[in-house]
Each structure stands twice: as C-alpha cells, then as structure tokens.
Amino acid sequence: MSAFQDMVRRDMGIFFNPDEFGEEHDIDGRMVVCVIDDQTNRDRKGGTEFAVAQITIFLFARSEDLSPRREPGEELRLDGVPYTIETWDEDMGVSSVSLFININA
C-alpha cells in the first residue's frame, strides 16, 4: 500500500470516528457509522398555497458498509424515512449519496 493510501485510510478513520464526526444511523435496516450533511436545501415550487418543499441531505459512508450502489430515483431508508436517491458516487472507498424528500410546505 502506498503512503498516500495509508494517509487516506487514517483520515477515513478520523472522519467516520463516532468521537469525531461519525454518527450511527439506520440505513435500510442496517446500523452504519456515517456522516450526514443535514444543512437542508429547500427549493420552493408552485404557489404559496400549494408549495412543495424539497429537502436534500448528503450521506457519506464507507462504501463497504453500505448496501450495493443504487441508481438515481431508487429509494434509500435513512432512520426509517424513505428518501429518493439523487446521486450516488464512490471514490477511494467512500460513498457520497445525495438524497431528497418532498414535503408539504
């Protein structure tokens, strides 16, 4: 293993450490240590009376800890809440999944 790969492995250990950034969440019925960026983005669509808000969150986890990669439009349950997958990218052993849910505003 190269020195760079060793650095990445050490950084992942810090990033996903529950004492640092990581938190345990139920993902599709499986407890996984991950990092969730829950700074919600709300896109208002329609008029004020019948507006729909879309909340987008970003999930980061070790690829090996998640179920097999899925396509945009498929469902992923996060802590029992059904989200729709917008994007699912994998890089150097880390999956970055963009999820959204439509809610009534």
Side-chain angles (χ1 to χ4, degrees), residues 58 70 72 84-89 96-99:
F58 300 92
R70 287 184 251 160
T84 302
I85 297 170
E86 187 169 30
T87 62
W88 187 314
D89 298 309
S96 169
V97 185
S98 173
L99 303 166

Side-chain angles (χ1 to χ4, degrees), residues 6 19 21 24 27 30-31 35 46 53-54 58 71 73 79 83 91 102:
D6 286 338
D19 293 330
F21 301 107
E24 197 170 51
I27 299 175
R30 198 170 153 193
M31 296 309 288
V35 175
Q54 185 180 79
F58 300 92
E71 296 300 315
D79 295 328
Y83 286 86
D91 190 23
N102 293 325

Side-chain angles (χ1 to χ4, degrees), residues 43-88:
D43 296 323
R44 299 266 178 198
K45 298 178 182 174
T48 57
E49 186 174 331
F50 299 105
V52 173
Q54 185 180 79
I55 296 175
T56 301
I57 63 170
F58 300 92
L59 167 83
F60 301 92
R62 287 184 178 98
S63 298
E64 65 191 35
D65 293 342
L66 294 175
S67 58
R69 182 180 178 166
R70 287 184 251 160
E71 296 300 315
E74 292 187 48
E75 181 181 282
L76 181 140
R77 286 191 170 269
L78 175 63
D79 295 328
V81 178
Y83 286 86
T84 302
I85 297 170
E86 187 169 30
T87 62
W88 187 314

